[in-house]
Amino acid sequence: QVIEVRQGATVYFSGTAPELPPVSAGESGDDSITLNRAPGVPGDAQAEVVLHFGASGPTELEIQMEKVPAGDYTVLIGEAPRGTLTVTLSSGATAGQLAFRVEASGGSLPLDFPAAGQSISLAQGGSTLFFGQLPAAALAP
């Protein structure tokens, strides 16, 4: 396609727009981050997030948290509560996970909100334990 940038009768740029590279259906990738611990959270406590991307954007968001007291934790994405991550005691260790999927199934919640590049925090009783920012795109291969 030929494109022109003009103001009135004056043409400032004229050229041909390059073709976009083809996008394969089902093309995907993912990126993961380790969330930051808030002050007062035990040093061995951890939280990690993996965001999976498809050709049209995020398809799955997985959140894991371990070595924190058993209980329910609120997942806030973009400052809005999106779900509850339940941490339980099993084999002497505490851990919990929560998944969001575009096509929710198997106990996952629907990924029906903007996720890429959003802030995320894990909180309990008004106290933030972990925080960070979700990846904006999949890592380049």
Side-chain angles (χ1 to χ4, degrees):
Q1 296 287 335
V2 175
I3 59 170
E4 287 186 345
V5 177
R6 66 171 61 217
Q7 182 177 28
T10 306
V11 175
Y12 289 97
F13 174 81
S14 178
T16 304
E19 287 188 34
L20 294 174
V23 176
S24 303
E27 182 178 329
S28 63
D30 57 69
D31 195 0
S32 63
I33 60 165
T34 299
L35 296 178
N36 299 304
R37 270 189 308 278
V41 174
D44 59 346
Q46 297 179 19
E48 184 177 25
V49 176
V50 178
L51 191 55
H52 301 272
F53 292 86
S56 62
T59 59
E60 184 175 354
L61 170 63
E62 297 175 299
I63 305 165
Q64 297 179 342
M65 187 166 52
E66 60 184 37
K67 299 181 182 173
V68 296
D72 292 335
Y73 296 83
T74 302
V75 176
L76 297 130
I77 298 175
E79 305 299 322
R82 300 296 182 178
T84 301
L85 188 153
T86 300
V87 173
T88 58
L89 177 64
S90 178
S91 302
T94 58
Q97 63 183 28
L98 183 63
F100 296 88
R101 292 185 179 89
V102 169
E103 295 182 18
S105 64
S108 66
L109 297 174
L111 182 56
D112 58 359
F113 52 88
Q118 296 292 313
S119 64
I120 181 171
S121 60
L122 306 176
Q124 185 182 52
S127 297
T128 298
L129 280 81
F130 295 95
F131 60 94
Q133 185 170 352
L134 293 171
L139 285 177

